[in-house]
């Protein structure tokens, strides 16, 4: 245990995801030794994020205005919505430059064992966005794990009666990996999602 | 470094929790070692050699190192990917989650062998994955049998209190099942006779009789099973309200 302020900082850092007691101590002493201007920038960044950032009222992504940058962009395709679990998934998909539509951030995945059901996610908001018929394709891009798959199953069933193209991101072998190391579920999905090669 | 104990067992993954950047803690109900918690290093990386093998509801052959707090998974081979098969059927998936949570809650102590429960979990998940029976009935049958194996069998024939031979119409969950008119405490439930018949069929494995019941009877049966389970666990199951019929 350290005295007052240092221990408080270690305790606060230790509450962050992925930061254990040892890392918390290392970061605290790094900050203690850092130049005051650097620490000030970090403090400002933390304050700004809490003051300025909110959630887009359309898609639920992090935003600095009522609507996020993507929802405000008129060049984005209005006909397709890509459904993801978290804002960080939007960032990951944006990096691919493959998708020109808009997003819908659910705020997690259905997880009965954690007590998280459909009503705890932004599913009602998704349905509201599909009411006017402007959207013709919904891409389900929830995580390729059990909870993500079950969430996609739930959404596919819910969206079934609407006249929409509902697609799921393909699952398959990691690029750069070896086939022999793939687990059975991944390899099975890769078979299901195989595509025709043009000669 | 001293010698560490390496052991091998098969088990069903009950739950996973994120740990640090790329690891997970997996809670596994094993065949020989009861409920075990272990760290799977790097499992969240796309190129992890574990891949989907340590997802909930997967039956795996595991090799583990005994650790000071948590064991460490060194190898995992899939025996049955029940979870992946359930994920495409939402009602079955929610029933599967309730099977896993019930199993976790019924194993109060880690490393206490629970072979009977293990076999019931595997049987329940297999029945759900094979779509052998309506998923809610499979779940209720699992709960009744798992409770019985834990020493909380719901009395469905003779009076729980005095042993007077049945059939009896009243159920007092706090007492443990059906009660005769003389032993009946105030507030006991009086379900339909068919509902008690359904519960007997589920406990005894009489599937034709169980499947011949109406939706109303099944709903009442599920309600009684849920109350019986939560009474003995003294805490609500998080997954139970999210289970869909089907
Ligand atoms: Zn937006």
């Amino acid at each position: 245990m350290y005295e007052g302020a240092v221990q408080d900082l270690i305790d606060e850092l230790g509450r962050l995801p992925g930061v254990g007691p040892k890392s918390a101590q290392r970061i605290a002493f790094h900050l203690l030794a850092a130049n005051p201007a650097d620490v000030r920038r970090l403090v400002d960044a933390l304050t700004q994020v809490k003051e300025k950032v909110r959630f887009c009222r359309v898609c639920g992504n992090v935003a600095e205005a009522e609507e996020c940058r993507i929802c405000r962009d008129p060049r984005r395709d209005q006909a397709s919505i890509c459904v993801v679990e978290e804002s960080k998934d939007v960032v990951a998909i944006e990096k691919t430059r493959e998708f020109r539509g808009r997003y819908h951030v659910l705020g997690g995945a259905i997880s009965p064992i954690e007590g998280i059901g459909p009503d705890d996610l932004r599913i009602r908001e998704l349905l509201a966005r599909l009411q006017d018929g402007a959207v013709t394709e919904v891409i389900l891009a929830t995580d390729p794990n059990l909870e993500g798959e079950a969430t996609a199953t739930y959404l596919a069933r819910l969206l079934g009666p609407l006249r929409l193209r509902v697609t799921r991101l393909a699952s398959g072998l990691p690029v750069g990996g070896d086939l022999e190391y793939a687990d059975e579920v991944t390899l099975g999905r890769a078979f299901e999602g195989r595509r025709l090669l043009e000669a | 470094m001293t010698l560490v104990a390496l052991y091998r067992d098969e088990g069903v993954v009950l739950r996973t929790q994120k740990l640090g950047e790329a690891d997970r803690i997996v809670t596994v109900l094993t065949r020989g070692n009861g409920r075990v918690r272990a760290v799977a290093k790097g499992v969240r990386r796309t190129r992890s050699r574990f891949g989907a093998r340590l997802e909930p509801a997967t039956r795996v052959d595991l090799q583990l190192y005994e650790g000071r707090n948590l064991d460490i998974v060194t190898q995992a081979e899939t025996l049955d990917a029940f979870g992946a098969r359930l994920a495409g059927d939402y009602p079955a998936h929610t029933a599967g989650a309730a099977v896993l949570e019930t199993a976790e809650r019924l194993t109060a102590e880690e490393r206490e062998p629970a072979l009977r429960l293990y076999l019931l979990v595997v049987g329940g998940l297999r029945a759900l994955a094979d779509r052998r029976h309506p998923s809610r009935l499979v779940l209720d049958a699992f709960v009744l049998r798992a409770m019985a194996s834990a020493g909380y069998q719901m009395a469905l024939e003779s009076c729980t209190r005095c042993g007077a031979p049945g059939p009896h119409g009243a159920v007092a969950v706090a007492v443990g099942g059906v009660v005769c008119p003389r032993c009946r405490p105030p507030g006991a439930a009086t379900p339909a006779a068919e509902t008690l018949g359904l519960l007997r069929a589920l406990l005894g494995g009489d599937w034709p009789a169980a499947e011949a019941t109406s939706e109303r009877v099944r709903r009442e049966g599920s309600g009684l099973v849920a109350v019986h389970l939560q009474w003995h666990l003294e805490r609500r199951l998080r997954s139970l309200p999210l289970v869909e019929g089907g």
Side-chain angles (χ1 to χ4, degrees), chain A residues 16 22 35 43 49 79 82 86 89 91 93 97 113 117 120 128 184 188-189 193-194:
Chain A
L16 300 174
K22 276 201 189 119
N35 147 0
V43 171
V49 87
C82 178
E86 312 275 359
D89 303 324
V91 176
I93 295 171
R97 297 169 180 276
I113 206 157
D120 300 307
E184 302 69 20
R189 292 264 156 79
R194 69 188 185 277

Side-chain angles (χ1 to χ4, degrees), chain B residues 9 29-36 106-107 109-118 149:
Chain B
D9 203 341
L29 180 64
T30 64
R31 189 184 177 99
N33 292 277
R35 181 165 56 82
V36 168
L106 284 176
T107 46
E109 295 291 324
E110 282 185 34
R111 297 187 188 286
E112 215 168 78
L115 177 61
R116 169 106 182 103
L117 180 63
Y118 175 74
S149 83

